[in-house]
Amino acid sequence: MSRAVLLPHAPSSVSTARRRLCSDLRDAGLQSARVNDAALVLSELLSNALRHASPLPDPFPPDCIEAAWSVGTDDGDGWLEIAVTDGGAATLPRIARPSASALGGRGLDIVAHIAAKWGTEVDGGVTTVWAVLEVAVEEATDGPVLDEPETARA
């Protein structure tokens, strides 16, 4: 099961993408705790992209970013990958060390604790931040196949 969604570079895109992700993962049979973890990871990655990065460059539609997710198996292990692609920023995403009284700066640390692994890939003017969550094998093998990219309106 996989999906890629082009979203407006706007705060409302976070809830739009989260609803679609949760619906897809529930339809695929993932446990609700894992669906909630995935929703949190997607929210953090999208929020960071919207706050710190530019929209995707040409030839993508103007003022868009992309969210994508896929569920599968590899060597008997189930996985869920969540990725957000944007036009990049002056610096690469990194885990911050905010003070105890800081109001923000903890998102990627949360992602790192939930995900089995996470990382960043840069290809020209496009940056993708991804995270992989472990899921039960039976969760990863059930559910619909979604392969048509779509454009969402937030």
Side-chain angles (χ1 to χ4, degrees):
M1 186 272 301
S2 65
R3 182 180 304 272
V5 183
L6 286 174
L7 300 156
H9 193 274
S12 59
S13 292
V14 176
S15 61
T16 299
R18 191 173 46 235
R19 280 192 305 274
R20 288 172 186 250
L21 170 75
C22 290
S23 176
D24 284 353
L25 297 182
R26 282 189 209 103
D27 289 349
L30 268 68
Q31 297 174 353
S32 62
R34 220 40 174 162
V35 172
N36 292 338
D37 288 345
L40 178 58
V41 168
L42 178 64
S43 295
E44 291 296 339
L45 296 182
L46 275 172
S47 295
N48 284 348
L50 292 168
R51 182 175 202 164
H52 302 290
S54 301
L56 288 163
D58 287 333
F60 293 95
D63 297 320
C64 285
I65 58 175
E66 182 182 72
W69 48 90
S70 58
V71 178
T73 59
D74 186 31
D75 295 328
D77 297 322
W79 52 264
L80 162 62
E81 182 173 352
I82 299 169
V84 173
T85 304
D86 56 50
T91 60
L92 289 176
R94 62 179 170 74
I95 294 176
R97 302 289 178 225
S99 68
S101 61
L103 298 177
R106 294 173 181 81
L108 283 178
D109 193 36
I110 292 168
V111 169
H113 279 87
I114 293 173
K117 58 186 175 180
W118 75 278
T120 304
E121 296 176 7
V122 178
D123 184 12
V126 175
T127 300
T128 301
V129 181
W130 54 267
V132 176
L133 288 71
E134 296 172 345
V135 297
V137 173
E138 56 274 3
E139 291 178 318
T141 57
D142 294 337
V145 174
L146 307 168
D147 58 4
E148 292 184 27
E150 59 185 75
T151 301
R153 302 219 191 281

